[in-house]
Amino acid sequence: MAQRLVSATNNVVRWADQRRVPVVFTRMELSGLAAQPSPGRHKLLQTLHNEGMLQAGSPGAAFHPDLEVSPAAFTLPRPKLSPFYGTALDAVLRTRGVTDVVITGISTSGAVMATARDAADHDYGVTVLSDAVGNANTRAHRTIMEDILPITAHVVSSAAWFEEIERLHQGQL
């Protein structure tokens, strides 16, 4: 799963870099107060904390080694599932004139869904690239992709998205 997601994400990043489209990479990193979630408040964060995962500087908080993080990209550590929570992401996007976001990621049931919902709540157009997201629980992934995310996001493969963008630029959409 990871290699497929990384490959699709790398293709999107290369496309964006060639067109000078802003790219933001986020990674969950538990540090400061977020490193010690309130007991019983957020089960996932508590589990990650107890297992020592996602601590700042740990391998669990690093990007996948094959992910091509562009030097032009904005890299943002985040304390929670959504990169809009407790970060400057909204300000960064608005400063750059961004009105739409395209989401890729390794946790459909976590960060992908949280990001899509928060982006929609912040009035961004939201696209989730179906071949560039995944989840360890395939049943949850399928339900989220087919039934939940389409309520707030445009869910499409990266190939179809590339075609839509090219038609848009040619005035065909």
Side-chain angles (χ1 to χ4, degrees), residues 18-138:
Q18 290 170 355
R19 290 157 181 82
R20 296 188 179 175
V21 172
V23 175
V24 178
F25 285 94
T26 71
R27 67 178 179 276
M28 192 163 173
E29 186 175 280
L30 301 177
S31 60
L33 293 176
Q36 299 176 15
S38 300
R41 298 280 181 171
H42 194 301
K43 289 181 181 182
L44 176 60
L45 291 184
Q46 190 65 51
T47 299
L48 295 172
H49 170 71
N50 291 345
E51 294 178 6
M53 299 182 69
L54 305 180
Q55 298 303 318
S58 73
F63 291 120
H64 189 283
D66 295 332
L67 186 63
E68 297 171 10
V69 180
S70 165
F74 183 77
T75 302
L76 179 74
R78 55 187 166 79
K80 302 286 184 183
L81 294 175
S82 171
F84 287 94
Y85 180 89
T87 71
L89 180 59
D90 187 43
V92 167
L93 296 176
R94 297 210 188 277
T95 299
R96 288 170 169 75
V98 173
T99 58
D100 295 85
V101 298
V102 177
I103 300 170
T104 69
I106 61 167
S107 179
T108 310
S109 63
V112 172
M113 189 165 61
T115 303
R117 286 183 169 179
D118 268 3
D121 284 347
H122 281 80
D123 294 323
Y124 291 97
V126 180
T127 298
V128 176
L129 299 181
S130 59
D131 56 330
V133 296
N135 202 78
N137 182 324
T138 56

Side-chain angles (χ1 to χ4, degrees), residues 11-12 14-16 18-19 21 157-173:
N11 288 336
V12 172
R14 283 187 220 110
W15 178 93
Q18 290 170 355
R19 290 157 181 82
V21 172
S157 72
S158 57
W161 181 72
F162 287 135
E163 290 175 12
E164 289 175 5
I165 295 299
E166 292 305 319
R167 285 197 315 268
L168 181 66
H169 284 284
Q170 295 171 358
Q172 297 176 2
L173 283 182

